[in-house]
Amino acid sequence: MNDLNPPQDGPAEPALPPETPMDAGSQALAEALRSSFTIVKVVMVLLVLVFLSSGLFTVGPEQRAILLRFGKAQGQGEKALLLPGLHWSLPYPIHEHKLVSVGGLQQVSSTVGWYAQTPEQMLAGIEPPTGGTLNPIADGYVMTADDNIIHSRATLTYRITDPIRYVFSFLNASNTVQSLLDNALVHAAASFKVDDVLTRDVAGFQDEVRRRAMQLVEAQELGITVEQCAVQSVPPRQLKDAFASVLKAEVMRSKVLNEARSNENQVTNRAGADAESIINLAQSDRARLVSDVAAQAQRFEEILPQYQRHPGLFEQQRLTETLGRVLTNVQDKIFLTESPNGQAKQLRLLLNRELPKPKAEETKP
């Protein structure tokens, strides 16, 4: 007779023990653990979301961003730059980003040659109290070409043109630019005399500082373009009155020289005008004299044939014309000539004498 239950392959499963009834405390603990695990899961999910969202960052319109992975830039050249907009990266320390301003202007100041000043005094433009002597430990200064001491400071304005080179060439490119500006200021001051720096050639000194700074920046290949360089120079505060006296004397000297040059120009111009007037008058007289001589020469050439034909008659005619012209207002004219035999001969000529009035007119009342 066959069994009602079919045979089963393999070992038989062990029978589950019967569930033991749980008390109220155990059930409450189990529910609390399940609720805690649910809360932990939610918190973990939220932490992961916060961690991932912390990698969001924004690049401004005049900025570029460089993405670093474990400190190394991702991409080469322009490909390493992130354009303006919203970007995402893995949070630190996996990824890191650096923002670089490419549209705005950057500024550094050199105070290596300036006296000690607090930030509040610098903003307010207040000069600190003057001590008895210059303190080289606290007060900066520069030496001029004629071995004088002055205070000078410079402000350099530049624009970043190569962000990759600017960020990775040096540990702190801004400090490097400031060091180069310090070098340029000291170098330029050593090439100018104190009067040139303070009064005579202020613009030339400023241009020299800018030229030297640009030369150093190009040599270091910092990836920036120098836009402007402003320089301010003052004498030592302890010698301000002495420098003011020298400046006053220099101004007076310049004034006297300018007046002398003005007077010189007036005298020179007047003398030149007088000389030109005299020369013009002389040239006019010369032209008139030459013209008269030429006319007389032409007249002599015209009457020369007449003289050659009848010399005596020609002389007599010319003599009569000359005497008539010269002795116009003379009543009695006596002309003495010599006879052919050498004896003196007297000749009386009555020229232009008024006719005697009639007797009737004389006796008329």
Side-chain angles (χ1 to χ4, degrees), residues 313-346:
L313 179 59
F314 181 82
E315 292 178 359
Q316 189 65 31
Q317 290 176 350
R318 300 288 84 73
L319 180 60
T320 302
E321 292 176 1
T322 304
L323 289 177
R325 185 171 60 254
V326 174
L327 304 176
T328 302
N329 298 324
V330 177
Q331 297 295 327
D332 295 333
K333 304 177 179 65
I334 300 174
F335 178 64
L336 299 179
T337 61
E338 294 183 356
S339 62
N341 56 8
Q343 296 180 356
K345 180 181 180 181
Q346 181 175 351

mmCIF file of all heavy atoms in Angstrom, residues 313-346:
data_model
loop_
_atom_site.group_PDB
_atom_site.id
_atom_site.type_symbol
_atom_site.label_atom_id
_atom_site.label_comp_id
_atom_site.label_asym_id
_atom_site.label_seq_id
_atom_site.Cartn_x
_atom_site.Cartn_y
_atom_site.Cartn_z
ATOM 1 N N LEU A 313 77.554 175.325 -77.932
ATOM 2 C CA LEU A 313 76.127 175.615 -77.845
ATOM 3 C C LEU A 313 75.447 174.753 -76.789
ATOM 4 O O LEU A 313 74.588 175.224 -76.029
ATOM 5 C CB LEU A 313 75.488 175.370 -79.215
ATOM 6 C CG LEU A 313 73.973 175.600 -79.304
ATOM 7 C CD1 LEU A 313 73.630 177.045 -78.921
ATOM 8 C CD2 LEU A 313 73.453 175.253 -80.680
ATOM 9 N N PHE A 314 75.859 173.530 -76.701
ATOM 10 C CA PHE A 314 75.271 172.615 -75.697
ATOM 11 C C PHE A 314 75.561 173.103 -74.295
ATOM 12 O O PHE A 314 74.678 173.142 -73.438
ATOM 13 C CB PHE A 314 75.834 171.207 -75.906
ATOM 14 C CG PHE A 314 75.273 170.201 -74.948
ATOM 15 C CD1 PHE A 314 74.040 169.595 -75.183
ATOM 16 C CD2 PHE A 314 75.951 169.880 -73.784
ATOM 17 C CE1 PHE A 314 73.531 168.681 -74.284
ATOM 18 C CE2 PHE A 314 75.435 168.971 -72.896
ATOM 19 C CZ PHE A 314 74.214 168.366 -73.159
ATOM 20 N N GLU A 315 76.807 173.528 -74.045
ATOM 21 C CA GLU A 315 77.170 174.027 -72.723
ATOM 22 C C GLU A 315 76.400 175.278 -72.389
ATOM 23 O O GLU A 315 75.938 175.473 -71.251
ATOM 24 C CB GLU A 315 78.662 174.296 -72.664
ATOM 25 C CG GLU A 315 79.518 173.036 -72.735
ATOM 26 C CD GLU A 315 81.002 173.357 -72.733
ATOM 27 O OE1 GLU A 315 81.324 174.563 -72.687
ATOM 28 O OE2 GLU A 315 81.807 172.409 -72.755
ATOM 29 N N GLN A 316 76.261 176.197 -73.388
ATOM 30 C CA GLN A 316 75.532 177.434 -73.145
ATOM 31 C C GLN A 316 74.077 177.143 -72.796
ATOM 32 O O GLN A 316 73.501 177.738 -71.876
ATOM 33 C CB GLN A 316 75.622 178.327 -74.398
ATOM 34 C CG GLN A 316 75.072 179.729 -74.177
ATOM 35 C CD GLN A 316 75.900 180.515 -73.168
ATOM 36 O OE1 GLN A 316 77.111 180.302 -73.059
ATOM 37 N NE2 GLN A 316 75.260 181.400 -72.414
ATOM 38 N N GLN A 317 73.442 176.213 -73.502
ATOM 39 C CA GLN A 317 72.055 175.864 -73.216
ATOM 40 C C GLN A 317 71.911 175.241 -71.820
ATOM 41 O O GLN A 317 71.001 175.587 -71.068
ATOM 42 C CB GLN A 317 71.534 174.899 -74.281
ATOM 43 C CG GLN A 317 71.349 175.530 -75.647
ATOM 44 C CD GLN A 317 70.923 174.507 -76.687
ATOM 45 O OE1 GLN A 317 70.945 173.303 -76.427
ATOM 46 N NE2 GLN A 317 70.534 175.002 -77.867
ATOM 47 N N ARG A 318 72.794 174.344 -71.515
ATOM 48 C CA ARG A 318 72.712 173.715 -70.203
ATOM 49 C C ARG A 318 72.952 174.714 -69.090
ATOM 50 O O ARG A 318 72.333 174.656 -68.032
ATOM 51 C CB ARG A 318 73.730 172.566 -70.102
ATOM 52 C CG ARG A 318 73.554 171.460 -71.121
ATOM 53 C CD ARG A 318 72.348 170.608 -70.832
ATOM 54 N NE ARG A 318 71.111 171.133 -71.325
ATOM 55 C CZ ARG A 318 70.752 171.142 -72.634
ATOM 56 N NH1 ARG A 318 71.543 170.630 -73.549
ATOM 57 N NH2 ARG A 318 69.599 171.633 -73.017
ATOM 58 N N LEU A 319 73.894 175.644 -69.333
ATOM 59 C CA LEU A 319 74.204 176.656 -68.324
ATOM 60 C C LEU A 319 73.011 177.560 -68.095
ATOM 61 O O LEU A 319 72.660 177.903 -66.961
ATOM 62 C CB LEU A 319 75.438 177.459 -68.759
ATOM 63 C CG LEU A 319 75.897 178.559 -67.800
ATOM 64 C CD1 LEU A 319 76.247 177.971 -66.434
ATOM 65 C CD2 LEU A 319 77.077 179.323 -68.368
ATOM 66 N N THR A 320 72.375 177.978 -69.202
ATOM 67 C CA THR A 320 71.204 178.856 -69.071
ATOM 68 C C THR A 320 70.075 178.141 -68.325
ATOM 69 O O THR A 320 69.423 178.709 -67.444
ATOM 70 C CB THR A 320 70.731 179.284 -70.462
ATOM 71 O OG1 THR A 320 71.816 179.952 -71.138
ATOM 72 C CG2 THR A 320 69.549 180.237 -70.358
ATOM 73 N N GLU A 321 69.842 176.898 -68.638
ATOM 74 C CA GLU A 321 68.812 176.129 -67.940
ATOM 75 C C GLU A 321 69.129 175.987 -66.457
ATOM 76 O O GLU A 321 68.252 176.144 -65.598
ATOM 77 C CB GLU A 321 68.670 174.750 -68.583
ATOM 78 C CG GLU A 321 68.088 174.782 -69.988
ATOM 79 C CD GLU A 321 68.066 173.389 -70.598
ATOM 80 O OE1 GLU A 321 68.483 172.426 -69.898
ATOM 81 O OE2 GLU A 321 67.615 173.246 -71.755
ATOM 82 N N THR A 322 70.365 175.727 -66.166
ATOM 83 C CA THR A 322 70.753 175.541 -64.760
ATOM 84 C C THR A 322 70.620 176.825 -63.985
ATOM 85 O O THR A 322 70.098 176.847 -62.851
ATOM 86 C CB THR A 322 72.182 175.008 -64.668
ATOM 87 O OG1 THR A 322 72.291 173.794 -65.415
ATOM 88 C CG2 THR A 322 72.582 174.748 -63.241
ATOM 89 N N LEU A 323 71.107 177.972 -64.587
ATOM 90 C CA LEU A 323 71.011 179.248 -63.885
ATOM 91 C C LEU A 323 69.562 179.645 -63.705
ATOM 92 O O LEU A 323 69.158 180.183 -62.665
ATOM 93 C CB LEU A 323 71.765 180.322 -64.677
ATOM 94 C CG LEU A 323 73.293 180.193 -64.658
ATOM 95 C CD1 LEU A 323 73.911 181.263 -65.547
ATOM 96 C CD2 LEU A 323 73.832 180.302 -63.246
ATOM 97 N N GLY A 324 68.729 179.389 -64.715
ATOM 98 C CA GLY A 324 67.323 179.724 -64.575
ATOM 99 C C GLY A 324 66.639 178.927 -63.493
ATOM 100 O O GLY A 324 65.750 179.407 -62.804
ATOM 101 N N ARG A 325 67.072 177.702 -63.295
ATOM 102 C CA ARG A 325 66.465 176.855 -62.266
ATOM 103 C C ARG A 325 66.976 177.175 -60.871
ATOM 104 O O ARG A 325 66.250 177.175 -59.901
ATOM 105 C CB ARG A 325 66.736 175.378 -62.603
ATOM 106 C CG ARG A 325 66.041 174.398 -61.661
ATOM 107 C CD ARG A 325 66.167 172.989 -62.154
ATOM 108 N NE ARG A 325 67.539 172.549 -62.276
ATOM 109 C CZ ARG A 325 68.169 172.394 -63.428
ATOM 110 N NH1 ARG A 325 67.539 172.665 -64.569
ATOM 111 N NH2 ARG A 325 69.438 171.992 -63.474
ATOM 112 N N VAL A 326 68.275 177.518 -60.804
ATOM 113 C CA VAL A 326 68.874 177.791 -59.501
ATOM 114 C C VAL A 326 68.563 179.192 -59.020
ATOM 115 O O VAL A 326 68.264 179.408 -57.837
ATOM 116 C CB VAL A 326 70.400 177.556 -59.572
ATOM 117 C CG1 VAL A 326 71.063 177.973 -58.272
ATOM 118 C CG2 VAL A 326 70.689 176.099 -59.879
ATOM 119 N N LEU A 327 68.631 180.152 -59.924
ATOM 120 C CA LEU A 327 68.463 181.557 -59.545
ATOM 121 C C LEU A 327 67.073 182.044 -59.892
ATOM 122 O O LEU A 327 66.881 183.105 -60.504
ATOM 123 C CB LEU A 327 69.513 182.396 -60.257
ATOM 124 C CG LEU A 327 70.975 181.961 -60.030
ATOM 125 C CD1 LEU A 327 71.910 182.800 -60.867
ATOM 126 C CD2 LEU A 327 71.328 182.035 -58.567
ATOM 127 N N THR A 328 66.094 181.278 -59.491
ATOM 128 C CA THR A 328 64.730 181.617 -59.876
ATOM 129 C C THR A 328 64.264 182.910 -59.228
ATOM 130 O O THR A 328 63.659 183.764 -59.867
ATOM 131 C CB THR A 328 63.786 180.466 -59.495
ATOM 132 O OG1 THR A 328 64.234 179.271 -60.142
ATOM 133 C CG2 THR A 328 62.352 180.771 -59.915
ATOM 134 N N ASN A 329 64.521 183.114 -57.956
ATOM 135 C CA ASN A 329 63.998 184.267 -57.209
ATOM 136 C C ASN A 329 65.001 185.419 -57.090
ATOM 137 O O ASN A 329 64.820 186.314 -56.267
ATOM 138 C CB ASN A 329 63.573 183.828 -55.803
ATOM 139 C CG ASN A 329 62.459 182.804 -55.845
ATOM 140 O OD1 ASN A 329 61.578 182.889 -56.709
ATOM 141 N ND2 ASN A 329 62.487 181.850 -54.925
ATOM 142 N N VAL A 330 66.076 185.381 -57.835
ATOM 143 C CA VAL A 330 67.077 186.459 -57.770
ATOM 144 C C VAL A 330 66.727 187.525 -58.805
ATOM 145 O O VAL A 330 66.427 187.205 -59.966
ATOM 146 C CB VAL A 330 68.491 185.900 -58.017
ATOM 147 C CG1 VAL A 330 69.524 187.026 -58.014
ATOM 148 C CG2 VAL A 330 68.822 184.871 -56.946
ATOM 149 N N GLN A 331 66.766 188.835 -58.375
ATOM 150 C CA GLN A 331 66.416 189.914 -59.286
ATOM 151 C C GLN A 331 67.558 190.253 -60.242
ATOM 152 O O GLN A 331 67.362 190.350 -61.449
ATOM 153 C CB GLN A 331 66.028 191.167 -58.477
ATOM 154 C CG GLN A 331 64.790 190.963 -57.595
ATOM 155 C CD GLN A 331 63.551 190.707 -58.411
ATOM 156 O OE1 GLN A 331 63.418 191.251 -59.520
ATOM 157 N NE2 GLN A 331 62.653 189.894 -57.889
ATOM 158 N N ASP A 332 68.743 190.410 -59.686
ATOM 159 C CA ASP A 332 69.893 190.777 -60.520
ATOM 160 C C ASP A 332 70.855 189.620 -60.576
ATOM 161 O O ASP A 332 71.269 189.098 -59.528
ATOM 162 C CB ASP A 332 70.605 192.007 -59.962
ATOM 163 C CG ASP A 332 69.726 193.242 -60.009
ATOM 164 O OD1 ASP A 332 68.858 193.270 -60.890
ATOM 165 O OD2 ASP A 332 69.910 194.114 -59.156
ATOM 166 N N LYS A 333 71.225 189.222 -61.737
ATOM 167 C CA LYS A 333 72.129 188.100 -61.911
ATOM 168 C C LYS A 333 73.281 188.571 -62.781
ATOM 169 O O LYS A 333 73.072 189.110 -63.871
ATOM 170 C CB LYS A 333 71.406 186.927 -62.564
ATOM 171 C CG LYS A 333 70.152 186.478 -61.799
ATOM 172 C CD LYS A 333 69.454 185.385 -62.521
ATOM 173 C CE LYS A 333 68.220 184.940 -61.741
ATOM 174 N NZ LYS A 333 67.210 186.009 -61.669
ATOM 175 N N ILE A 334 74.512 188.408 -62.338
ATOM 176 C CA ILE A 334 75.716 188.830 -63.059
ATOM 177 C C ILE A 334 76.535 187.592 -63.337
ATOM 178 O O ILE A 334 76.861 186.820 -62.413
ATOM 179 C CB ILE A 334 76.530 189.845 -62.248
ATOM 180 C CG1 ILE A 334 75.663 191.094 -61.970
ATOM 181 C CG2 ILE A 334 77.807 190.221 -62.974
ATOM 182 C CD1 ILE A 334 76.334 192.079 -61.056
ATOM 183 N N PHE A 335 76.838 187.395 -64.550
ATOM 184 C CA PHE A 335 77.593 186.221 -64.961
ATOM 185 C C PHE A 335 78.854 186.667 -65.672
ATOM 186 O O PHE A 335 78.784 187.431 -66.653
ATOM 187 C CB PHE A 335 76.738 185.354 -65.885
ATOM 188 C CG PHE A 335 77.468 184.156 -66.394
ATOM 189 C CD1 PHE A 335 77.903 183.163 -65.523
ATOM 190 C CD2 PHE A 335 77.731 184.028 -67.744
ATOM 191 C CE1 PHE A 335 78.567 182.062 -66.006
ATOM 192 C CE2 PHE A 335 78.407 182.929 -68.213
ATOM 193 C CZ PHE A 335 78.834 181.931 -67.344
ATOM 194 N N LEU A 336 80.020 186.266 -65.194
ATOM 195 C CA LEU A 336 81.311 186.661 -65.748
ATOM 196 C C LEU A 336 81.881 185.513 -66.560
ATOM 197 O O LEU A 336 81.963 184.378 -66.060
ATOM 198 C CB LEU A 336 82.283 187.036 -64.638
ATOM 199 C CG LEU A 336 81.851 188.215 -63.750
ATOM 200 C CD1 LEU A 336 82.888 188.473 -62.665
ATOM 201 C CD2 LEU A 336 81.659 189.472 -64.587
ATOM 202 N N THR A 337 82.230 185.832 -67.744
ATOM 203 C CA THR A 337 82.864 184.835 -68.591
ATOM 204 C C THR A 337 84.186 185.371 -69.091
ATOM 205 O O THR A 337 84.516 186.553 -68.886
ATOM 206 C CB THR A 337 81.965 184.521 -69.798
ATOM 207 O OG1 THR A 337 81.784 185.721 -70.563
ATOM 208 C CG2 THR A 337 80.609 184.002 -69.335
ATOM 209 N N GLU A 338 84.907 184.546 -69.699
ATOM 210 C CA GLU A 338 86.193 184.939 -70.251
ATOM 211 C C GLU A 338 86.087 185.005 -71.773
ATOM 212 O O GLU A 338 85.433 184.169 -72.396
ATOM 213 C CB GLU A 338 87.271 183.947 -69.859
ATOM 214 C CG GLU A 338 87.569 183.931 -68.361
ATOM 215 C CD GLU A 338 88.694 182.981 -68.028
ATOM 216 O OE1 GLU A 338 89.178 182.290 -68.964
ATOM 217 O OE2 GLU A 338 89.064 182.895 -66.842
ATOM 218 N N SER A 339 86.773 186.021 -72.330
ATOM 219 C CA SER A 339 86.789 186.169 -73.773
ATOM 220 C C SER A 339 87.762 185.191 -74.370
ATOM 221 O O SER A 339 88.622 184.652 -73.663
ATOM 222 C CB SER A 339 87.167 187.606 -74.148
ATOM 223 O OG SER A 339 88.471 187.895 -73.669
ATOM 224 N N PRO A 340 87.688 184.988 -75.624
ATOM 225 C CA PRO A 340 88.611 184.024 -76.238
ATOM 226 C C PRO A 340 90.075 184.406 -76.056
ATOM 227 O O PRO A 340 90.931 183.538 -75.981
ATOM 228 C CB PRO A 340 88.210 184.052 -77.716
ATOM 229 C CG PRO A 340 86.774 184.474 -77.693
ATOM 230 C CD PRO A 340 86.630 185.432 -76.558
ATOM 231 N N ASN A 341 90.365 185.738 -75.960
ATOM 232 C CA ASN A 341 91.760 186.139 -75.797
ATOM 233 C C ASN A 341 92.209 186.134 -74.359
ATOM 234 O O ASN A 341 93.290 186.634 -74.028
ATOM 235 C CB ASN A 341 91.980 187.517 -76.407
ATOM 236 C CG ASN A 341 91.024 188.550 -75.813
ATOM 237 O OD1 ASN A 341 90.315 188.241 -74.844
ATOM 238 N ND2 ASN A 341 91.007 189.765 -76.381
ATOM 239 N N GLY A 342 91.367 185.707 -73.407
ATOM 240 C CA GLY A 342 91.750 185.604 -72.008
ATOM 241 C C GLY A 342 91.401 186.806 -71.181
ATOM 242 O O GLY A 342 91.684 186.833 -69.978
ATOM 243 N N GLN A 343 90.839 187.856 -71.772
ATOM 244 C CA GLN A 343 90.464 189.032 -71.008
ATOM 245 C C GLN A 343 89.090 188.825 -70.379
ATOM 246 O O GLN A 343 88.193 188.219 -70.977
ATOM 247 C CB GLN A 343 90.442 190.259 -71.927
ATOM 248 C CG GLN A 343 91.803 190.600 -72.501
ATOM 249 C CD GLN A 343 91.738 191.820 -73.412
ATOM 250 O OE1 GLN A 343 90.658 192.357 -73.670
ATOM 251 N NE2 GLN A 343 92.904 192.264 -73.880
ATOM 252 N N ALA A 344 88.946 189.398 -69.183
ATOM 253 C CA ALA A 344 87.686 189.264 -68.473
ATOM 254 C C ALA A 344 86.612 190.066 -69.135
ATOM 255 O O ALA A 344 86.859 191.171 -69.641
ATOM 256 C CB ALA A 344 87.847 189.704 -67.033
ATOM 257 N N LYS A 345 85.441 189.558 -69.167
ATOM 258 C CA LYS A 345 84.310 190.203 -69.787
ATOM 259 C C LYS A 345 83.136 190.102 -68.831
ATOM 260 O O LYS A 345 82.868 189.052 -68.264
ATOM 261 C CB LYS A 345 83.985 189.516 -71.109
ATOM 262 C CG LYS A 345 82.800 190.133 -71.833
ATOM 263 C CD LYS A 345 82.543 189.374 -73.117
ATOM 264 C CE LYS A 345 81.353 189.969 -73.856
ATOM 265 N NZ LYS A 345 81.076 189.226 -75.100
ATOM 266 N N GLN A 346 82.452 191.233 -68.632
ATOM 267 C CA GLN A 346 81.329 191.286 -67.698
ATOM 268 C C GLN A 346 80.038 191.297 -68.476
ATOM 269 O O GLN A 346 79.852 192.090 -69.395
ATOM 270 C CB GLN A 346 81.425 192.515 -66.818
ATOM 271 C CG GLN A 346 80.290 192.597 -65.803
ATOM 272 C CD GLN A 346 80.468 193.768 -64.836
ATOM 273 O OE1 GLN A 346 81.517 194.403 -64.832
ATOM 274 N NE2 GLN A 346 79.471 194.046 -64.054
#
